[in-house]
Amino acid sequence: MIAYSLGIDPGKSGALVLLDPLGAVVWARRMPVIARPVAKGWQRHLPAAELRKLPKTAPDYDQVGIRDALRDAADRGRVVATLENPGLIRIGGKAMVTASGSLKSCVGLIEGVCAGLGIEVRKVAPATWQAAMSVRGNSDEIGRAHV
């Protein structure tokens, strides 16, 4: 059985792109994110209803939105996902830093949901997919330009 292909850039500015078995784009979606209240110090111990009243927010992964997008893909048939593996990130062509805990958490969320939905996951380094797609630059900038 020929599979759908799902490309996933797990950054908060990333995207999910589903291709049909012939390579045509079925859909392209920005990575689902939501605004979460930013709590400092003693505020972290407030009830959730009180946290929502705080004026500052920060983007966070929308776990339900990610699950729904992956389910939409899985409902179409066999899907093979290519997931960017952000283990190490090159900055300025020199220094290497590890990906943030939030980004690694998102990768784990995606892997778990894919496993539950029967989606095969193949991990790829950012430089590998960028070379294959003939693109250069920061993956967040590339994602914003193409979604």
Side-chain angles (χ1 to χ4, degrees):
M1 174 184 214
I2 299 174
Y4 283 79
S5 296
L6 178 63
I8 306 171
D9 178 343
K12 288 180 184 168
S13 300
L16 301 97
V17 179
L18 183 66
L19 305 177
D20 72 15
L22 299 176
V25 175
V26 175
W27 51 252
R29 302 176 184 178
R30 292 189 184 281
M31 180 60 63
V33 294
I34 57 175
R36 291 243 192 252
V38 176
K40 295 185 179 186
W42 63 271
Q43 294 174 334
R44 290 188 182 111
H45 302 288
L46 292 173
E50 293 299 315
L51 281 175
R52 284 193 275 286
K53 294 177 185 175
L54 296 175
K56 294 183 179 180
T57 61
D60 196 8
Y61 292 102
D62 179 357
Q63 296 176 352
V64 174
I66 292 169
R67 179 209 59 204
D68 291 348
L70 294 172
R71 180 184 296 148
D72 181 41
D75 286 348
R76 296 170 187 272
R78 182 169 175 260
V79 178
V80 176
T82 301
L83 174 61
E84 181 179 88
N85 184 7
L88 291 175
I89 300 172
R90 185 175 298 277
I91 296 180
K94 297 179 182 178
M96 299 289 274
V97 296
T98 59
S100 73
S102 175
L103 184 58
K104 289 180 181 180
S105 175
C106 182
V107 169
L109 168 71
I110 290 169
E111 287 179 305
V113 173
C114 284
L117 294 171
I119 297 174
E120 179 184 340
V121 175
R122 298 175 183 165
K123 288 186 179 179
V124 63
T128 303
W129 76 259
Q130 290 171 5
M133 300 301 292
S134 300
V135 295
R136 288 187 175 144
N138 179 300
S139 62
D140 288 345
E141 293 170 4
I142 294 164
R144 282 192 291 275
H146 291 90
V147 176

